[in-house]
Amino acid sequence: MEQVLRPLIVFTATVAVTVCAGWLTGRALRYSARTRPRSRLPILLRRVQAPWQIFLSAVALHTTYPLAELNLAQDTMIRTLLATTAILAAIWLVVRGVDVAAENMLHSYADRTRDVAKVRQLRTQLGLVRRIVTAILAVSTAAVAILLLVPSLRTLGTSLLASAGVIGIIAGVAAQSTLSNLIAGLQIAFGDSVKIGDTVVVEGEWGTVEDISLAFLTVRIWDDRRLTMPVSYFNSQPYENWSRGGSQITGTVFLHLDHSAPVAALREHLGEFVRTRADWDGRDYGLVVTDSTPTAIVVRATMTAADADDVWTLRCAVREELLSWLWREHPYALPKIPTEITAVPGADAALPGLADPDPGRPDAGAERAGDGGMARRGPVVSTGHTRR
């Protein structure tokens, strides 16, 4: 009876103590959240409850296991499994703790400053450093735990450590691209060339930086596609960063119009229209003629906005409004395509191809007289004269 009651009492008491400890931790966090509603730390610390509970249980069972006096053949293996569980739970607990500390630091900094660029920069740096620390901590702790808990692997571990120089050289050559991406990630994190939330144009695609990992950078394109590229690309290839130096941007709209277009009236209407738009930041607008061809002029309208999203919407609205206004008020200002020609008297002599193919025809002179001295209409010929 003692062989049954002793293990039962020991394990029941151990589990009860650990459950009570976890319950008290949860109550303390909830009380702290109620007393400090503006602090996010108690809410974030709830993420560590699960690994904390597992860690306490594994440590308590590993400590009290000899008191049960089971005397099994697998006692050593059971204690090794409990110790391994405690170590893995400790790693999990530390990783969650680092995440909580980083997120709490980011929220605290965001509450103290209004500079969005600095907040994005800190978020990028914390994200990359957190991933690096987590990876190094997990790999090193797992390796040490395996070498310490499995005696048969200690000799192998000693041999590996003795040949660590050769293995390091081989691993460095084999993982050259991975190491270059890792170094590039650190350069991006602390070099401030690109941050999470920046608006960039990469490979002709416009989008927002969504995530930066140790090896890859993800850009969310305007149509919700994801463009994933190696981090080293941003240290070796040119790209556009519309958020660097501030998110304010100037948009342009080009219109091809007739030479008779009322540019001054169009410029005035542009000013009236952008003042009614919420996506115009009020800094500047303008309209100028940037080019002229034999058949049209090129008009460029510029307007400013707070960020890339607003400038895209504003550009589309301005283009639509200017074309609609010209169609309603000045339809003659829209571009025209020549479809027939008008020549002056004597054009037949200047343009032999337009002369009557049969000058001896009886009605040829009458036809010319009926046209009032104008050349008869013929096929489309590009002469530079456009009929209005």
Side-chain angles (χ1 to χ4, degrees), residues 127 160 261 327:
L160 291 176
W327 178 255

Side-chain angles (χ1 to χ4, degrees), residues 39-360:
S39 176
R40 293 179 54 88
L41 187 58
I43 299 176
L44 294 175
L45 285 176
R46 293 182 184 179
R47 300 179 185 178
V48 305
Q49 277 191 276
W52 172 248
Q53 190 73 44
I54 296 174
F55 174 75
L56 288 179
S57 301
V59 171
L61 290 174
H62 183 271
T63 304
T64 59
Y65 184 82
L67 300 178
E69 297 181 358
L70 293 177
N71 298 324
L72 300 176
Q74 297 82 9
D75 283 349
T76 303
M77 185 180 64
I78 293 174
R79 297 196 64 185
T80 300
L81 290 176
L82 291 174
T84 304
T85 303
I87 293 175
L88 295 178
I91 297 174
W92 187 14
L93 180 62
V94 172
V95 171
R96 283 289 183 88
V98 171
D99 290 343
V100 168
E103 190 166 347
N104 182 65
M105 182 185 301
L106 180 62
H107 282 286
S108 299
Y109 184 77
D111 293 337
R112 294 194 306 268
T113 182
R114 295 182 179 180
D115 193 341
V116 180
K118 291 185 178 180
V119 174
R120 291 203 305 262
Q121 180 181 2
L122 180 61
R123 179 184 176 189
T124 303
Q125 293 174 353
L126 288 177
L128 287 176
V129 171
R130 180 176 56 187
R131 286 186 174 94
I132 294 174
V133 170
T134 300
I136 295 175
L137 182 63
V139 172
S140 60
T141 306
V144 172
I146 292 175
L147 293 177
L148 293 178
L149 296 176
V150 184
S152 59
L153 294 179
R154 293 179 183 175
T155 304
L156 177 61
T158 304
S159 302
L160 291 176
L161 291 176
S163 59
V166 179
I167 294 177
I169 295 174
I170 297 174
V173 174
Q176 184 177 0
S177 61
T178 303
L179 292 176
S180 64
N181 283 330
L182 177 60
I183 296 174
L186 292 176
Q187 291 176 344
I188 286 178
F190 296 97
D192 195 25
S193 61
V194 62
K195 304 178 290 294
I196 295 176
D198 282 359
T199 301
V200 296
V201 179
V202 184
E203 297 292 331
E205 298 288 353
W206 176 89
T208 304
V209 178
E210 188 176 53
D211 186 34
I212 301 177
S213 64
L214 297 179
F216 298 99
L217 186 146
T218 303
V219 178
R220 180 172 56 84
I221 306 176
W222 65 273
D223 57 359
D224 289 335
R225 290 180 296 153
R226 264 63 176 180
L227 180 64
T228 302
M229 308 188 69
V231 177
S232 58
Y233 175 91
F234 292 85
N235 284 338
S236 59
Q237 299 294 332
Y239 63 94
E240 296 182 30
N241 190 339
W242 291 9
S243 300
R244 185 173 175 82
S247 61
Q248 295 176 336
I249 191 170
T250 300
T252 58
V253 172
F254 289 93
L255 299 178
H256 294 262
L257 304 177
D258 190 81
H259 288 84
S260 60
V263 178
L266 188 63
R267 184 182 299 113
E268 182 179 355
H269 182 70
L270 172 64
E272 295 174 355
F273 176 71
V274 295
R275 291 187 185 95
T276 63
R277 298 286 304 184
D279 41 21
W280 181 58
D281 62 359
R283 288 189 295 129
D284 192 19
Y285 75 91
L287 188 142
V288 294
V289 178
T290 59
D291 198 4
S292 176
T293 67
T295 57
I297 60 174
V298 180
V299 176
R300 185 190 69 180
T302 57
M303 65 293 302
T304 59
D307 51 45
D309 292 333
D310 287 347
V311 82
W312 170 260
T313 306
L314 185 58
R315 287 174 59 198
C316 296
V318 166
R319 185 182 295 109
E320 180 179 352
E321 174 63 24
L322 294 183
L323 290 176
S324 300
W325 182 79
L326 288 173
W327 178 255
R328 293 192 312 267
E329 305 295 335
H330 305 278
Y332 60 88
L334 296 177
K336 302 175 181 63
I337 300 177
T339 58
E340 54 187 13
I341 62 170
T342 300
V344 296
D348 290 351
L351 299 174
L354 296 180
D356 198 306
D358 188 9

